[in-house]
Each structure stands twice: as C-alpha cells, then as structure tokens.
Amino acid sequence: MTSTHAFWLAGRQATGEAAFDVTSPWDGRLVGRVSVPTEAQVEEAVAAAHAVIDEFAATPAHVRAAALDHVSRRLVERTEEIAQLISAENGKPIKWARGEVGRAVSVFRFAAEEARRFNGGEVQRLDTDAGGQGRLALTRRFPKGVVLGIAPFNFPLNLCAHKIAPAIAVGAPIILKPAPATPLSGLILGELLAETDLPAGSWSVLTVPNEQMPTLVKDERLPVISFTGSDKVGYAIMDSVPRKHCTLELGGNGAAVVLADFASEQDLDWAATRIATFSNYQGGQSCISVQRVIADATVYDRLLPKIVAAVEAQVTGDPSDPATDVGPLVSEDAAKRVEYWVDEAVQGGAKLLAGGKRDGATYAPTVLTDVPADVNLACEEVFGPVLTVTKVDGEDEAFAAVNDSKYGLQAGVFTHDLQTAFRAHRALEVGGVIVGDVPSYRADQMPYGGAKQSGVGREGVAFAMDDYTYERVLVLTGLAL
C-alpha cells in the first residue's frame, strides 16, 4: 500500500481530504500519492505568509543564508535519491535528472551568497545642487510582498528552486505550487526547508490542482507572481491581475544558426552533436531546446547529414538506464500532439529525414526539412524531440529567419567571428544569444528570460531577487558632508 505524501503548510506537513496519483510516463507505474489541500488549508497558508511579511523581511541575512546553504548541502547528500524521483515522476533520463539536482544545488548556493551581500545600499550625495546641501540619499531594496511561485513539470526540482531560493534570499514569503504531474520533487524541497530555522509561515508548498489556481492568483495578499509555463496560461494570468507584478518565463522555438565561417569538419561535427543532443534532451521539453536549425547555404549540404546521423544516434528508452538519452514525454497526450504536428507538416510538404514515430508517451527523435511556414511546427513551440532544418543565404537572411517568430527566448549562433557575435547580439530579438553553441545553454546565475511572447522579467538568482523587491530611498538631512 502506497502512503500519501503530505504537502507543506506554513512550514509543517499537512494532509487534506482528497489525494491524487503521480504515475510514471514511461511505464505507468504508481510513483506516489499526493494529498490535496482543502480551501481552508490554502487560506491558512496565505494568511500565515501575509502575517509574517515584516518578520521575514527583518530576518538577519545570516539566518536566510544559512537556510539556503543547508538546502544546498542536503541536495548534494540526497542527489541520487532525488534524481531517481525526478526520473520516475517526469520520465527524464537519469543522467539528465542527476544534472538537474546539481543545478538546484548551485541555485541554493548562489542564493546563499547573494543573501549575504544583498542590500548593502547605494549612497548618493544630493548636494550636487544647492537645494540638496547637507543631504544624503540611501537606497535599499525591500520585498514587494508574498510571492506566488508556479512551477512547470519539465524541470520539477530546479525550476522550483528558482522560485524559492531568491524569495528566501530577500526575505519574501513564498507559496510554491509545483506542477500536478510532477509534485514530488517540490515536496522534497519542503522537507529540506523544514530542517532550517526560517520563520513559520515564510514558505509553503501546496499541491493545488490547476483548476483551483485562479483564486490564488487573484488573492490580493499575493502581490508577486512568478510563473513558468506556456504563453497561453502565462498571459491569461497577467491579464487577470493587471495590477500585480508578474514574472513570466514562457515558451520559445529556439533557433541554432550555423554561419558560413563555421565550416571545418570539426566545426560541423561539434555543431551537429550539440544540436542533436539539445533538440532531444528532456525529450525536447525545454523552452530553449533546439527546434529550428538555420544553416548557411555554404555549409548546409555537409551539415544536414551530420545532424541526421547524430539525431539517429540518440538512445531512446527506459529513463532509469544511464545509457538513455531520450525518455518519454510527460504524457501520452503530449506525445500525440507532437505526432499530430509532425504529420501535419509532412502532409503540407515537409520532408521527414529521421524519426516521426510514436510509441505510447515516447516520440522518436525527429528531423524535417522544407517545413511550410504556416504549420504549427514552424510557428509554435513543439515541446518535443523534433528539429527542423532550413537553408539560408548569408547572415542577414539567417538573422531575419530567427526573428520571424512570435517567440524570442534564446538563440545560438555558430560563428568564430567576434564582429558577427556582436551583430547577432544587436540584431536578434531574444533574451539571450549564445555564441558558438546551441540556444539551450543556461547558467543558473545569469539573467534568463525572453522577448516578445516568451515572457517578461528575468530569472537567475540575483535578477529574480531584484524582481521580487523594490527600491526605497531614505534621505538624511542636515549632514556635514
């Protein structure tokens, strides 16, 4: 008999009246049963977070930093256990799950470091004009209020970490809602936070069903919303609460540009390997996975067969096997959608060079060319292991092709030319340009976010800390400066 996992209400474990099953997308086995908070328990968590706003903001930096350090260390100690859990509930290959735990370790460590140096204050002399004589301004940052963090299924540990760690670092209470498909990793963070000395009420992990979220989203006691997920849901949240501060990390259809100067066999082998790996890692379920390859005509004919061969070499199978590169998607319905989009493109004239087959929730790594511009695969986020390759003439056409999208999260540009790198940085309408590599590169301390319909605001620990706070100035008068 499977025990029911409790949620975390104001720092303590609790159970509700209902529960739901978490099953493996690979084989359908039961991974865990999770309790659902009642409306009264959700209200209790929100009230507790709101009541502790002032106390938590005044908590000494060393207390917050020690808690964050503790979580980082405990993640290291429990790496294999947590990686196995991520793989089981998400279907992520174990090697990628281990990497995700390692990233979460870094996120909490970065947050501990930032907590210690945050809010040193900026001092300005105001006597630069006569009216400011004897006056000094001190600017510090203060929490905007309780954060509602809404995390997705594709990185069920690390994207929860990106909500929780910056909030704790600045002393902002947080209520975390993990994805219903993958709640167990978020609940593990609750276990580790419960081992710290953070104030009661400063954090909760609530396994609330999606259909109950509008009430939480609209609660005026939760003035900050940090959401990662689809553009449809993200903008619906923002539209429903126009006076709240929303950080939205939304979708993309990441492009990798291979320019004419990236032309040696070694160059093309590197590009093909990186493209194949990062169009398929996480089953393609990453907002910055490679969905589009845009190759200069001078390298296209040599690059394309290398990409196809590298994609076909990706090992698909049991996510618990260390040799597996590509596991299942999060559900069979998700795989069926990818299947439909690929079939639609092929029926519209696209050429299928690899993959194109579904087995339950698993979709084979897929490569297509000549994809019509008006099909879903060309203009939407596929969120699956599917790659399109397009030939262009020159840098200007390549950059225009990248920008011919409603999304703008990150882009990769394979070039050796420094001037080209700076032109790409200026020309591409994205939140990040990765030179010499795929758009899928993300360091957890760097600013991460998009342009256009890929969202608003930035994550990355220090940048999220700024997002959760606002500047407040203190003017001192009558000083002998």
Side-chain angles (χ1 to χ4, degrees):
M1 183 174 180
T2 302
S3 61
T4 300
H5 293 264
F7 51 86
W8 292 91
L9 195 169
R12 71 179 194 280
Q13 284 189 306
T15 55
E17 299 169 355
F20 63 93
D21 292 338
V22 178
T23 58
S24 165
W26 168 247
D27 56 15
R29 67 184 172 89
L30 181 65
V31 180
R33 188 164 175 78
V34 177
S35 185
V36 178
T38 65
E39 290 184 9
Q41 288 170 320
V42 172
E43 167 59 28
E44 184 181 348
V46 174
H50 188 259
V52 81
I53 287 174
D54 292 340
E55 177 188 351
F56 196 30
T59 301
H62 71 87
V63 173
R64 288 179 273 116
L68 293 161
D69 274 330
H70 174 84
V71 175
S72 182
R73 289 193 302 270
R74 293 287 283 137
L75 286 170
V76 172
E77 294 168 1
R78 297 177 63 176
T79 290
E80 188 60 26
E81 170 203 348
I82 298 172
Q84 295 285 350
L85 181 64
I86 292 171
S87 183
E89 69 172 345
N90 173 275
K92 182 173 299 193
I94 188 64
K95 67 179 181 180
W96 295 116
R98 290 172 180 143
E100 181 174 348
V101 180
R103 289 181 62 186
V105 169
S106 295
V107 168
F108 278 95
R109 187 182 73 249
F110 295 152
E113 294 167 356
E114 293 293 344
R116 291 186 174 97
R117 57 177 167 253
F118 180 71
N119 225 352
E122 179 183 342
V123 176
Q124 291 178 291
R125 293 182 63 138
L126 301 180
D127 61 353
T128 49
D129 285 321
Q133 187 166 332
R135 296 178 186 265
L136 195 72
L138 172 65
T139 303
R140 297 163 61 199
R141 301 191 70 89
F142 294 86
K144 293 173 180 174
V146 183
V147 177
L148 173 61
I150 307 172
F153 69 81
N154 56 329
F155 290 86
L157 180 74
N158 195 43
L159 291 183
C160 287
H162 270 286
K163 310 298 182 192
I164 291 174
I168 292 173
V170 300
I174 181 165
I175 293 174
L176 175 75
K177 179 209 174 296
T182 56
L184 301 175
S185 302
L187 293 174
I188 285 283
L189 291 178
E191 288 184 36
L192 306 185
L193 288 168
E195 299 169 354
T196 71
D197 295 325
L198 294 175
S202 62
W203 60 273
S204 292
V205 181
L206 300 182
T207 47
V208 179
N210 288 341
E211 56 268 23
Q212 294 183 20
M213 282 307 295
T215 301
L216 262 180
V217 165
K218 293 178 181 179
D219 195 308
E220 293 183 357
R221 295 167 294 178
L222 308 175
V224 179
I225 298 175
S226 178
F227 170 84
T228 302
S230 73
D231 57 329
K232 179 180 178 181
V233 176
Y235 286 117
I237 288 173
M238 177 176 278
D239 290 344
S240 72
V241 286
R243 289 178 177 81
K244 288 195 178 190
H245 179 88
C246 294
T247 297
L248 305 179
E249 300 299 337
L250 308 178
N253 54 2
V257 176
V258 184
L259 293 175
D261 71 298
F262 213 81
S264 72
E265 291 303 311
Q266 184 178 4
D267 286 341
L268 296 180
D269 286 342
W270 162 258
T273 298
R274 296 293 285 178
I275 287 166
T277 298
F278 288 97
S279 65
N280 293 292
Y281 86 126
Q282 328 287 341
Q285 297 170 121
S286 168
C287 297
I288 47 176
S289 67
V290 185
Q291 183 171 330
R292 299 181 292 156
V293 175
I294 298 164
D296 190 89
T298 60
V299 298
Y300 178 89
D301 290 338
R302 289 190 297 139
L303 176 64
L304 182 58
K306 290 178 183 289
I307 290 175
V308 172
V311 167
E312 290 179 334
Q314 295 285 302
V315 177
T316 302
D318 185 345
S320 66
D321 185 342
T324 296
D325 299 310
V326 187
L329 276 70
V330 72
S331 68
E332 187 169 357
D333 283 346
K336 286 180 178 178
R337 180 190 54 76
V338 173
E339 179 181 44
Y340 175 80
W341 284 14
V342 171
D343 290 347
E344 175 193 47
V346 171
Q347 290 166 11
K351 295 178 182 177
L352 181 66
L353 303 184
K357 295 182 174 64
R358 181 181 65 83
D359 181 8
T362 299
Y363 197 81
T366 297
V367 181
L368 303 100
T369 60
D370 301 328
V371 176
D374 60 346
V375 299
N376 283 304
L377 205 58
C379 52
E380 299 293 340
E381 179 181 37
V382 65
F383 226 59
V386 178
L387 182 66
T388 69
V389 187
T390 303
K391 182 191 298 185
V392 295
D393 290 316
E395 176 187 308
D396 290 345
E397 190 173 325
F399 290 173
V402 174
N403 290 339
D404 186 21
S405 171
K406 66 181 181 180
Y407 297 111
L409 195 46
Q410 293 197 160
V413 180
F414 288 89
T415 182
H416 296 295
D417 187 85
L418 185 60
Q419 294 293 346
T420 300
F422 275 91
R423 285 196 296 271
H425 197 204
R426 182 173 59 249
L428 297 180
E429 299 165 354
V430 294
V433 178
I434 315 300
V435 175
D437 206 349
V438 291
S440 317
Y441 177 79
R442 178 184 179 184
D444 291 286
Q445 71 271 37
M446 78 184 198
Y448 175 76
K452 299 191 282 190
Q453 291 189 35
S454 287
V456 294
R458 290 295 180 267
E459 287 193 342
V461 176
F463 302 91
M465 290 168 67
D466 282 346
D467 221 37
Y468 292 170
T469 56
Y470 71 98
E471 294 174 321
R472 186 187 298 167
V473 65
L474 173 71
V475 176
L476 301 175
T477 305
L479 301 177
L481 297 178

